[in-house]
Amino acid sequence: MRIVVVGASGTIGRPLCAELSKRHELITAARSGGDVSVDITSAKSIEQMYQKIGRVDACVCVAASGALDRFADLTESELLENMRGKFFGQINLVLIGQRYLADNGSFTLTTGIFADEAWPGVTGGAVISGGLHSFVLSAAIELPRGLRINAVSPTMVADSVEDFGHLFPGMEPVAMERLIRAYANCVEGGETGGIIRAYR
């Protein structure tokens, strides 16, 4: 398969590309340093990316993380700003990308544990991930030409515990190997409309 990985230079993107490249032709996309540059906060940039790379069999997005927030000070404008990348960016990868993916191709998005488990300081991330879950369920029955869509919902990745573990005391991390396997299964399998909770 010919696969574009958006967010290829990130914590999850690097090992994911290493795994998928064993079996597939990969195109890496990132703000900088990839085969093609893309800013997922911009629909125009996403369109330009697809035009540049041509037909692909799969698009995997592991870009953009949900920002931390303080509920007492959270505002509509702050929430909308946080949604530009992880929420609207991933949705636009699908809405625009459905015209560029080959028949029976697939989209794999990234959400997160906070859609299902409440945690202080992540209301924006919870809203974004929950909304993406609903989008995946709806898109799965609407996408044409046999296109599939799934989302991988990770918790904190074991590789990030040293940097972020203090923010989420008591949270069990997911091993990177297990997480990468979840993404690979979405690309290489036949499921659609799945929310793959990699932490369970």
Side-chain angles (χ1 to χ4, degrees), residues 9 29-38:
S9 60
R31 280 181 178 266
S32 60
D35 297 322
V36 61
S37 63
V38 64

Side-chain angles (χ1 to χ4, degrees), residues 133-144:
H133 287 185
S134 296
F135 175 77
V136 166
L137 294 175
S138 295
I141 64 171
E142 297 267 16
L143 282 167

Side-chain angles (χ1 to χ4, degrees), residues 10-182:
T11 301
I12 299 172
R14 290 189 300 273
L16 176 61
C17 288
E19 176 62 26
L20 291 177
S21 64
K22 297 175 183 177
R23 301 178 294 281
H24 307 287
E25 176 188 350
L26 244 61
I27 302 161
T28 59
R31 280 181 178 266
S32 60
D35 297 322
V36 61
S37 63
V38 64
D39 174 4
I40 66 168
T41 66
S42 164
K44 181 179 180 181
S45 179
I46 291 171
E47 183 92 50
Q48 290 172 338
M49 177 197 74
Y50 279 121
Q51 289 174 346
K52 184 172 183 178
I53 65 178
R55 188 72 73 181
V56 290
D57 299 294
C59 173
V60 182
C61 183
V62 288
S65 58
L68 298 174
D69 55 57
R70 187 170 180 274
F71 188 83
D73 301 323
L74 188 61
T75 63
E76 177 185 352
S77 60
E78 182 181 357
L79 185 56
L80 286 170
E81 181 61 28
N82 291 342
M83 295 175 79
R84 288 182 63 208
K86 188 168 183 177
F87 184 72
F88 292 114
Q90 293 196 90
I91 286 176
N92 277 330
L93 282 170
V94 178
L95 296 180
I96 297 168
Q98 65 182 315
R99 303 193 299 272
Y100 292 92
L101 257 66
D103 291 355
N104 304 308
S106 72
F107 297 97
T108 303
L109 309 184
T110 298
T111 61
I113 189 174
F114 302 124
D116 300 311
E117 296 190 21
W119 205 277
V122 291
T123 297
V127 170
I128 289 166
S129 290
L132 285 168
H133 287 185
S134 296
F135 175 77
V136 166
L137 294 175
S138 295
I141 64 171
E142 297 267 16
L143 282 167
R145 300 184 290 106
L147 297 178
R148 299 183 298 108
I149 183 170
N150 297 288
V152 175
S153 176
T155 182
M156 179 173 52
V157 184
D159 295 42
S160 300
V161 169
E162 187 173 331
D163 294 326
F164 301 107
H166 66 285
L167 298 172
F168 307 106
M171 179 177 288
E172 286 293 324
V174 60
M176 183 64 80
E177 181 181 351
R178 180 180 178 186
L179 183 56
I180 296 309
R181 188 164 60 249

